[in-house]
Amino acid sequence: MIRELLSEMVLYRLLADTSALPGIARAAELAGESKESNTTAREILGEAVYDIMELAGEYDFRGDIWASYLTFYIIMDENPYSLSAEKRKPAKGAARKLAMGDLKVFYRLFSYDFTDLEKKLGVKYFSLLKKGSKDTVMSAGLGKEFSMVMGELSNRLKNAADEDAFIACVDDYYERFGVGDFGISKAFRISLIGGSLNFDPVRFMEDVTLDDLVGYDIQKKKLTDNTEAFVKGLPANNCLLFGDSGTGKSTSVRAIANMYYGAGLRLIELHKDELLLLDQVIALLRNRNYKFIIYMDDLSFEEDETEYKHLKALMEGGVETRPGNILIYATSNRRHLIRETWSDRSDVSMDNGIHKSDTMEEKLSLANRFGIRISFEKPDQKRYFEIALNACRKNGIDRSDEEIIALAHRWEISHGGCSGRNARQFADDLAGKTGID
């Protein structure tokens, strides 16, 4: 009986406490006792199946939905065993023995026979769940790479020859991809709930690549070289991407997150007004077996804002060393991040014939904390047309180059000049109009 199986769970409490299985167990206990109990059992079972389908809809389960459902709880449950396995330091002693017992329960649940329960209640819920669809488990909503991994894991667990093979599959997944939301999502935002800091997954991130950014080859190489070193555990620098708006700075960072997801890179988006939480963020991330980029988009500070001093100390110069699995990438329209004024020059002094300004030095010091500084300049008209053509072809627009360039030129004149953003907006507008026509 499912109730007895759940009672054996010790570490994997997500399944035992929060899944639909307790409802299924209750329905199984009531089934067959009387007509009234069967009615109640069907209601309880229907609610449990609804919960399964709701989760399947949220995460786009496909294939054997029952197997996908159980797989989901294996990959999401952050417990002493799974967290230890993520760090490639398998738990020993009591923790391992308890986990082995739990995973053996999972193994039995994967092949659990619901025929008798369905017959008693006159339903075919689990027959339908197990039949599922012919597609792989999970679509590209959480990333194509993870869809393939999830599908592979679900199938391997479902077809495991015995308990040992089943457990070996789970351990292999933890070692390669980790556990919980960090294992399945590329990017996160932060939130405070009841004083507790949480990482909220960005479920659907734009599937952009660096190839979508026309030109800027030198800039892209600097960014990928630094990130490549980082994910390989080699020394790497914090990065500042600065320059004109609409040139692809933010797109480049998102593309990097897509590119290195399979290598364990995760993006944590942090806003300027959340800088005081940076200590907590770093404390929670330092012991996870991932590489994290803390991403600050459109970062800049005004005269009266002093949060930059906190960021500066955390990047370099503070007592606590920045963990090796964390880098900071920021984008800004300002090269020096902090607004400069003519009054900054009022404290200029002479030192061995060199003009020095303490105010200006203070403002430059934050940008100098970024070892890699990459400039993104507004494209000239030729490159603007190249970006527009590339975006139009990606949108499936079947028009001649000459016609697209003429229309892009008109868009440029009416929308404030040449920029990558203007080119992409033009392509989207033209694709919409083409679809209507």
Side-chain angles (χ1 to χ4, degrees), residues 20 24 65 83 91 135 139 162 189 210 217 280 336 347 354 368 378 385 392 407 415:
I24 296 173
I65 295 176
L83 288 171
D135 298 317
S139 70
D162 52 34
R189 299 186 180 94
L210 287 175
D217 293 336
Q280 295 182 53
H336 298 145
D347 64 347
I354 299 175
N368 290 337
K378 187 175 291 188
F385 289 148
C392 285
L407 292 170
H415 287 77

Side-chain angles (χ1 to χ4, degrees), residues 254-283:
R254 293 196 298 271
I256 284 292
N258 289 328
M259 184 175 181
Y260 291 102
Y261 164 76
L265 184 69
R266 301 295 182 264
L267 203 66
I268 310 294
E269 186 176 22
L270 199 70
H271 298 292
K272 181 172 65 176
D273 58 1
E274 297 169 330
L275 277 176
L276 295 180
L277 299 174
L278 193 51
D279 283 323
Q280 295 182 53
V281 171
I282 290 175

Side-chain angles (χ1 to χ4, degrees), residues 105-205:
V105 171
F106 271 107
Y107 174 74
R108 293 162 66 185
L109 287 171
F110 265 78
S111 58
Y112 195 88
D113 187 358
F114 289 98
T115 303
D116 184 57
L117 176 60
E118 290 186 321
K119 189 177 295 184
K120 287 180 180 179
L121 298 180
V123 298
K124 294 185 177 181
Y125 297 154
F126 295 97
S127 300
L128 293 171
L129 289 177
K130 291 185 176 184
K131 184 178 180 180
S133 71
K134 296 180 181 180
D135 298 317
T136 57
V137 180
M138 302 188 77
S139 70
L142 288 172
K144 295 177 183 177
E145 301 91 342
F146 179 72
S147 298
M148 296 173 62
V149 171
M150 174 72 175
E152 177 192 356
L153 177 62
S154 180
N155 289 327
R156 287 177 65 194
L157 294 175
K158 178 182 176 180
N159 297 311
D162 52 34
E163 292 175 344
D164 290 338
F166 184 92
I167 293 169
C169 288
V170 174
D171 285 343
D172 178 64
Y173 173 85
Y174 288 151
E175 183 175 330
R176 291 167 59 198
F177 298 97
V179 61
D181 278 321
F182 285 137
I184 68 174
S185 298
K186 298 176 181 178
F188 299 82
R189 299 186 180 94
I190 66 169
S191 63
L192 277 177
I193 301 176
S196 177
L197 191 145
N198 298 280
F199 296 102
D200 302 324
V202 177
R203 295 296 184 200
F204 301 95
M205 195 170 81

Side-chain angles (χ1 to χ4, degrees), residues 342-350 354-360:
W342 286 107
S343 63
D344 294 341
R345 302 175 181 270
S346 63
D347 64 347
V348 173
S349 61
M350 290 285 292
I354 299 175
H355 293 272
K356 295 181 63 178
S357 167
D358 290 339
T359 303
M360 292 174 66

Side-chain angles (χ1 to χ4, degrees), residues 230 282-283 285-287 292 314 320-327:
F230 178 51
I282 290 175
L285 299 180
R286 66 165 55 247
N287 291 320
F292 294 100
L314 283 168
E320 187 175 12
T321 304
R322 173 175 54 82
N325 68 331
I326 296 174
L327 283 182

Side-chain angles (χ1 to χ4, degrees), residues 41-96:
R42 275 192 294 270
E43 291 175 354
I44 295 173
L45 190 61
E47 291 176 0
V49 172
Y50 178 85
D51 289 343
I52 292 174
M53 292 306 300
E54 189 173 44
L55 193 68
E58 181 180 354
Y59 289 91
D60 205 5
F61 291 178
R62 300 187 183 183
D64 185 333
I65 295 176
W66 175 248
S68 302
Y69 185 73
L70 294 173
T71 302
F72 176 81
Y73 279 92
I74 289 174
I75 68 177
M76 291 301 293
D77 199 324
E78 296 183 1
N79 59 61
Y81 180 76
S82 60
L83 288 171
S84 176
E86 174 190 281
K87 298 171 187 173
R88 297 180 174 86
K89 297 178 181 178
K92 299 179 181 179
R96 181 168 180 81

Side-chain angles (χ1 to χ4, degrees), residues 294-311:
I294 296 177
Y295 168 48
M296 302 178 188
D297 190 31
D298 197 19
L299 185 65
S300 64
F301 298 92
E302 300 301 324
E303 279 286 305
D304 58 344
E305 295 177 317
T306 59
E307 291 92 341
Y308 74 89
K309 295 183 179 181
H310 184 70
L311 175 60

